Amino acid sequence: TERIIDVLEAFAADGWKASQDAEARAFGELVVSETSARLVELFFATTALKKDSGVDDPTVTARPVERIAMIGAGFMGAGIAYVSSNAGISVRLKDQDGPALARGLKAVADIYAGRVRRRALTPIEQKLKLALVTATTDTSGLGSADIVIEAVFEDIALKHRILREVEAVTGPTTVFASNTSSLPIGRIAEASARPETVLGMHYFSPVHKMPLLEVIVTPQTAPWATATAVALGKRQGKTVIVVNDGVGFYTTRILGTYMNEAAYLLAEGVPVEEIDRALVSWGWPVGPMALIDEVGIDVAAHVGPIMQAAFGDRMEPPATVRKLVDDGRKGRKNERGLYLYGAAAKKARGPLGRGPAKQPDPSVYRLLGVTPRPGAMTPEEIAMRCTLQLVNEALHAWGDGILRSPRDGDIGAIFGLGFPPFRGGPFRYVDQLGATEVLRRVRSFEDRHGKRWTPAPALVEAAKSGRKFHGLERRGGGPVRSTGIVRGRRHGAAPPPPVRSTGGPRIASRASRMQVTGERRT
Ligand SMILES: NC(=O)c1ccc[n+]([C@@H]2O[C@H](COP(=O)([O-])OP(=O)(O)OC[C@H]3O[C@@H](n4cnc5c(N)ncnc54)[C@H](O)[C@@H]3O)[C@@H](O)[C@H]2O)c1
């Protein structure tokens, strides 16, 4: 934008020829910039993913999907029903009672109505697409589904019950997918008589806007089932990565350390708005404080202990999170969080409504027993504290065999969580900055803040060998193991060999215009 303004200024000051010269100079500078290189790489990564079936065996093909069943017509279920019907797929939507189903159907209809209002869809198209969604409170119509996706409450016993009910009325080629955001798929599959058909399809909210789908496979998942889920995700318009099973999969796990670090910053007295401003100016679409209010403080507090039980010290949350939950703060949904909402926000903006649209709730500091220290930490340090936690965890996930390639790790962070696209994702970021420098920064945080900053073994190894992550998969070696326990391989099978990534700059792309929305996600 600055360069465009330079060109316009040159035109205003010195005329047409001067502006052409300024434009040529600016283009020349930008086209060889790091930002341009990262966005071109991202374009090639997404192009390669479009051609990737999600499995390494080229003889495996996806089964056709004409009908899906959606169990749970809540926030996520309605979104998945929308993206599926929009792709021309019949959806059997099931919930426990009429009112829940009605809410789900209304949510789907509302998304279509919005598109008609924006003239992106004709009323006839709207009716045809909406007619693809039928509703039920029993198991009728489930038997003919090619894939059943469940998005009921995050409760393992309930998910087991749903799985058994579904398997009782479906055949051996029906894929069962869970949209869980934290439960390992292997645990869900324990209730299955056909674990080869069970996998995770982790959508992000709001489903109709967020571009990523994370497909999670266990060592028992059949390659045809994986390929079928990946093909469905692509038809739904998603960029799909396939990851191995483990607590928090890939995205939830790396987001966990990022959010945790933000909570530590708050506990140290860094003001809420300074944390968010620092991360937004580093390139994130939304800061972690605003994000936790959107996702739900209660949801974060629920996932935190699960992560800590699996990963120990480095996921230990500060006491602040529990204090917020005990005070009944859930975030935007109950209008009580780190920011002010509703009448309180209106009051804080003053009688003429001139104050900032989003104001932190000052009572948070009293509740936490923290004295805010404005300006005590630089924006760079704040951004590094949160981002390097995420990067270090991405490298742990790589070492644990969760990812098929650094490419998928970058795509997952950018498209699922909003990692700044022009910085290329966690793996590109390390490759660009150099593993030695990243390790130096992580170690200096470890000296000051202790065990949660222990560098990932893959980072230490990369700093020692000088190898870059991108390209590592092409040398034929499997991922570097970070611990004796390879979480994605709990059932004994080897992780699929990492994928070959295509690369090499050629032309700038749609990726360079890509917007990652900052809306609610987990
Ligand atoms: N909300 C998010 O941001 C998000 C993101 C990714 C994944 N998820 C996961 O998706 C799942 C659903 O989350 P949500 O936010 O849509 O929850 P929600 O509360 O909005 O919806 C859950 C729905 O499941 C229905 N349900 C409960 N028991 C049922 C049963 N026995 N049979 C049929 N329907 C039943 C409920 O009536 C409700 O409509 C959870 O596992 C959650 O972890 C949520």
Side-chain angles (χ1 to χ4, degrees):
T1 313
E2 275 170 33
R3 296 295 197 284
I4 293 171
I5 293 169
D6 289 347
V7 172
L8 292 174
E9 276 178 354
F11 178 69
D14 303 310
W16 181 243
K17 176 78 179 74
S19 76
Q20 274 184 324
D21 290 347
E23 186 179 19
R25 233 186 352 266
F27 182 78
E29 276 167 31
L30 292 178
V31 85
V32 293
S33 64
E34 287 294 335
T35 298
S36 165
R38 295 295 83 78
L39 293 174
V40 170
E41 286 157 1
L42 189 56
F43 167 72
F44 281 106
T46 50
T47 306
L49 265 182
K50 281 186 193 133
K51 295 183 200 141
D52 189 340
S53 68
V55 295
D56 299 303
D57 181 350
T59 62
V60 172
T61 50
R63 291 184 60 81
V65 174
E66 275 158 31
R67 268 181 210 90
I68 71 157
M70 187 64 240
I71 317 288
F75 186 67
M76 298 301 288
I80 300 166
Y82 164 78
V83 292
S84 308
S85 56
N86 188 42
I89 299 161
S90 296
V91 181
R92 189 72 168 159
L93 188 59
K94 178 182 181 319
D95 208 303
Q96 40 192 353
D97 54 38
L101 267 179
R103 280 193 298 276
L105 285 171
K106 181 174 180 309
V108 179
D110 284 350
I111 304 175
Y112 280 122
R115 290 187 61 199
V116 171
R117 265 198 310 279
R118 291 192 304 278
R119 295 176 190 267
L121 205 66
T122 66
I124 290 181
E125 286 168 334
Q126 174 195 25
K127 284 196 178 67
L128 288 173
K129 284 175 186 281
L130 210 44
L132 289 171
V133 186
T134 60
T136 181
T137 51
D138 57 29
T139 53
S140 67
L142 259 56
S144 57
D146 301 302
I147 296 193
V148 178
I149 306 174
E150 73 76 17
V152 296
F153 304 134
E154 190 78 337
D155 170 348
I156 187 76
L158 176 60
K159 296 206 191 255
H160 278 169
R161 186 154 63 79
I162 299 285
L163 173 57
R164 288 194 198 99
E165 269 172 30
V166 166
E167 286 191 349
V169 295
T170 54
T173 58
T174 304
V175 174
F176 182 89
S178 172
N179 180 49
T180 174
S181 43
S182 62
L183 299 167
I185 302 302
R187 272 195 69 201
I188 296 177
E190 280 167 10
S192 172
R194 308 191 287 262
E196 69 280 7
T197 62
V198 180
L199 45 74
M201 289 178 83
H202 180 209
Y203 293 85
F204 293 73
S205 65
V207 179
H208 64 292
K209 289 191 180 161
M210 291 298 290
L212 189 75
L213 169 64
E214 186 178 27
V215 169
I216 303 118
V217 297
T218 75
Q220 290 162 291
T221 307
W224 66 262
T226 307
T228 305
V230 169
L232 172 62
K234 289 184 199 168
R235 274 178 76 192
Q236 291 167 331
K238 303 295 171 198
T239 297
V240 191
I241 60 168
V242 177
V243 303
N244 286 313
D245 194 21
V247 174
F249 327 125
Y250 173 62
T251 51
T252 305
R253 173 175 169 178
I254 63 172
L255 181 67
T257 52
Y258 169 89
M259 300 286 262
N260 223 22
E261 197 59 28
Y264 275 105
L265 287 168
L266 178 62
E268 288 167 34
V270 183
V272 167
E273 70 279 23
E274 282 189 22
I275 298 173
D276 278 355
R277 252 201 319 266
L279 271 305
V280 169
S281 63
W282 202 76
W284 289 87
V286 66
M289 299 282 107
L291 185 59
I292 200 170
D293 268 6
E294 293 298 324
V295 169
I297 299 171
D298 55 328
V299 175
H302 174 74
V303 177
I306 300 174
M307 297 285 172
Q308 195 189 348
F311 302 111
D313 290 336
R314 67 178 194 270
M315 299 270 184
E316 189 184 349
T320 44
V321 179
R322 184 49 37 212
K323 282 188 191 165
L324 290 167
V325 174
D326 290 346
D327 189 47
R329 289 176 193 254
K330 295 186 177 178
R332 181 189 285 281
K333 64 184 154 197
N334 74 344
E335 299 197 339
R336 292 197 63 227
L338 299 169
Y339 284 95
L340 294 170
Y341 299 95
K346 218 168 163 183
K347 196 169 158 208
R349 277 201 295 276
L352 300 174
R354 289 214 177 113
K358 225 169 160 52
Q359 308 229 26
D361 183 347
S363 67
V364 164
Y365 304 109
R366 269 197 307 281
L367 174 71
L368 303 182
V370 161
T371 310
R373 298 181 300 131
M377 199 179 283
T378 64
E380 181 63 16
E381 178 158 3
I382 296 170
M384 279 296 101
R385 285 269 301 267
C386 295
T387 304
L388 285 185
Q389 272 288 0
L390 179 147
V391 168
N392 195 42
E393 193 56 33
L395 300 185
H396 271 296
W398 167 255
D400 290 351
I402 297 292
L403 292 165
R404 295 171 73 216
S405 66
R407 173 200 70 185
D408 290 2
D410 287 339
I411 293 281
I414 293 171
F415 286 79
L417 308 177
F419 192 101
F422 62 90
R423 297 187 191 273
F427 293 89
R428 286 277 180 211
Y429 184 67
V430 175
D431 282 354
Q432 197 218 336
L433 201 59
T436 312
E437 173 58 18
V438 174
L439 181 61
R440 188 192 66 73
R441 294 184 191 188
V442 170
R443 285 238 157 97
S444 99
F445 286 136
E446 186 188 20
D447 290 344
R448 279 178 280 161
H449 305 290
K451 278 186 181 164
R452 71 178 189 277
W453 278 99
T454 304
L459 176 60
V460 177
E461 206 277 328
K464 214 186 293 167
S465 67
R467 280 195 303 184
K468 288 186 185 296
F469 284 96
H470 280 268
L472 194 60
E473 69 273 30
R474 269 175 276 180
R475 283 188 245 278
V480 186
R481 302 266 178 279
S482 72
T483 60
I485 310 156
V486 178
R487 291 173 208 282
R489 299 176 56 215
R490 216 170 292 136
H491 304 276
V499 222
R500 186 176 281 274
S501 76
T502 59
R506 216 175 294 148
I507 37 166
S509 67
R510 210 156 54 89
S512 59
R513 301 192 299 274
M514 194 188 72
Q515 294 292 316
V516 178
T517 62
E519 283 157 276
R520 193 181 140 190
R521 60 173 72 85
T522 56

